[in-house]
């Protein structure tokens, strides 16, 4: 593919709204195969897993962190608690 063709393809992809999709495909290839916290195995072919697991992209490090729903909810709870503690103390 020469430069002109590449430009045309990129333009076409943008027009089709595929730019984001293409980016996601690249990231998908970087997906790990287990939860970052509890090391539960992640099956990339399991649609339900793909839908329910959480992916955090660290673009600078070109890393994709993977969290199973259990760990993700645990992390959210912790965040919520911390937030409530901070906000709570501010209100008083
Ligand atoms: Zn986990």
């Amino acid at each position: 593919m020469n430069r002109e063709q590449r430009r045309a393809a990129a333009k076409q992809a943008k027009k089709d709204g595929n730019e984001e999709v293409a980016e996601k495909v690249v990231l998908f290839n970087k997906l790990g195969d287990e939860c970052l916290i509890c090391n539960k195995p992640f099956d990339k072919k399991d649609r339900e897993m793909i839908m329910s697991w959480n992916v955090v992209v660290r673009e600078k490090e070109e890393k994709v962190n993977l969290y199973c729903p259990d760990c993700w909810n645990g992390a959210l709870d912790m965040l919520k608690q911390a937030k409530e503690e901070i906000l709570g103390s501010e209100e008083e």
Side-chain angles (χ1 to χ4, degrees), residues 26-81:
V26 171
L27 289 174
F28 195 72
N29 289 330
K30 284 183 188 156
L31 269 181
D33 49 15
E34 60 184 22
C35 171
L36 197 74
I37 296 172
C38 70
N39 300 118
K40 195 192 278 184
F42 176 73
D43 185 355
K44 285 180 199 177
K45 290 174 198 120
D46 190 327
R47 260 189 85 85
E48 236 170 80
M49 266 193 168
I50 293 168
M51 299 305 284
S52 59
W53 283 46
N54 289 277
V55 175
V56 177
V57 181
R58 297 196 172 272
E59 273 175 56
K60 269 191 198 157
E61 299 158 51
E62 290 210 333
K63 259 168 74 178
V64 182
N65 293 339
L66 200 57
Y67 303 94
C68 74
D70 289 344
C71 292
W72 183 256
N73 288 332
L76 284 187
D77 278 351
M78 250 171 60
L79 272 178
K80 210 176 138 198
Q81 249 177 43

